[in-house]
């Protein structure tokens, strides 16, 4: 059993911060998608774009010129869909960049280059705040997108 007292408080603080920011971002993303193009329409566009890419890859691998020509006719429609699907992300981007302020006002002045998490192997001597936050952010960002349902259909 893991003794929670040996885990640095910084590890948990940064993890909670990454969880919070990830879920805020994904919730905002879902709200923007719903408001800008409608959730059902967005999902339908995701599916159509995914199918188009799959067919395009299949045609390219098989060197099927007939299918390539057919797909090229649909390309402008797919590009319009992708543009519409990108609008919520473009609105969210400046908001996401604002979280960098957290780095300069809180995380870096508080923890500096001191180890905030320990992992066996390469980082056995400790991870600095930057690496630990990135690991947590990627992990919880992926988890949040799956829970909230903003992950594209593959």
């Amino acid at each position: 059993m893991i003794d929670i007292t040996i885990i640095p408080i910084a590890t948990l603080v940064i993890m909670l911060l990454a969880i919070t920011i990830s879920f805020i971002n994904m919730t905002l993303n879902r709200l923007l998608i719903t408001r800008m193009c409608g959730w059902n329409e967005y999902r339908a566009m995701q599916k159509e774009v995914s199918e188009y890419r799959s067919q395009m890859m299949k045609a390219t691998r098989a060197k099927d010129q007939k299918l390539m020509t057919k797909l090229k006719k649909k390309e402008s429609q797919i590009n319009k869909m992708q543009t519409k699907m990108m609008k919520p992300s473009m609105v969210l981007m400046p908001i996401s960049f604002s979280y960098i302020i957290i780095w300069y006002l809180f995380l870096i002045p508080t923890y500096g280059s001191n180890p905030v998490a320990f992992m066996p192997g390469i980082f056995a001597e400790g991870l600095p705040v930057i690496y630990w936050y990135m690991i947590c952010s990627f992990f919880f960002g992926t988890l949040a997108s799956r829970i909230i349902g903003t992950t594209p259909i593959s």
Side-chain angles (χ1 to χ4, degrees):
M1 185 163 171
I2 297 174
D3 183 11
I4 193 101
T5 58
I6 64 170
I7 299 175
I9 296 296
T11 304
L12 298 175
V13 168
I14 294 166
M15 190 182 302
L16 289 173
L17 187 62
I19 290 169
T20 303
I21 289 172
S22 295
F23 277 92
I24 288 171
N25 274 345
M26 288 307 131
T27 302
L28 285 173
N29 192 20
R30 174 84 186 238
L31 291 172
L32 287 169
I33 289 169
T34 302
R35 180 148 174 94
M36 292 180 145
C37 59
W39 186 249
N40 293 331
E41 182 183 356
Y42 182 81
R43 292 303 249 178
M45 287 188 297
Q46 277 184 323
K47 186 174 181 179
E48 192 167 339
V49 167
S50 179
E51 287 172 4
Y52 174 82
R53 285 184 190 150
S54 175
Q55 288 178 353
M56 186 62 99
M57 195 177 303
K58 181 180 174 183
T60 304
R61 286 183 183 152
K63 298 181 183 176
D64 186 346
Q65 291 301 325
K66 188 176 178 182
L67 182 57
M68 290 285 277
T69 304
K70 180 182 172 185
L71 291 172
K72 286 285 184 188
K73 292 177 184 176
K74 199 175 180 183
E75 188 174 25
S76 68
Q77 179 187 359
I78 295 296
N79 287 340
K80 286 178 186 176
M81 283 184 200
Q82 288 176 322
T83 301
K84 189 172 183 177
M85 288 168 50
M86 284 300 296
K87 285 182 183 178
S89 296
M90 297 308 285
V91 170
L92 188 61
M93 192 177 299
I95 296 168
S96 296
F97 278 123
S98 71
Y99 297 128
I100 293 173
I101 294 170
I102 292 171
W103 283 94
Y104 291 106
L105 297 180
F106 176 67
L107 292 177
I108 292 174
T110 304
Y111 301 112
S113 61
N114 298 325
V116 294
F118 297 94
M119 294 177 72
I122 299 171
F123 297 107
E125 294 170 13
L127 284 165
V129 68
I130 267 184
Y131 297 122
W132 181 239
Y133 181 83
M134 284 182 184
I135 290 168
C136 290
S137 181
F138 289 134
F139 175 74
F140 291 114
T142 302
L143 186 64
S145 70
R146 299 231 185 247
I147 289 171
I148 294 174
T150 56
T151 301
I153 298 170
S154 52

